[in-house]
Amino acid sequence: MSGDRQDEEAATTLEPWARALLRCPVTGAELVDGTDADGRPVLVSQDAERPLVYPVRDGIPVLLADEARPA
């Protein structure tokens, strides 16, 4: 694993109390860590009816409705 990749993964690790605060801005559902098809970190909405995926760029979750894509 490259140093950059390791740094990116470490930057997306949140304390449990901080993770509990994050919610999908569209559905209000809980968000959990995931990876996209290219192996990049994402946050995945746990809404069963409308699951969405949000990108994580430079370790920062981009929680904008316009950035969401279907899971």
Side-chain angles (χ1 to χ4, degrees), residues 12 14-34 42-47 50-56 60-65 68-69 71:
T12 62
L14 295 175
E15 294 290 328
W17 65 268
R19 166 63 70 224
L21 296 175
L22 292 180
R23 296 285 182 224
C24 174
V26 175
T27 67
E30 180 182 0
L31 295 168
V32 296
D33 291 318
V42 295
L43 291 177
V44 182
S45 168
Q46 295 298 290
D47 186 286
R50 190 174 177 194
L52 297 169
V53 176
Y54 294 90
V56 176
I60 301 169
V62 182
L63 300 180
L64 300 171
R69 65 181 193 278

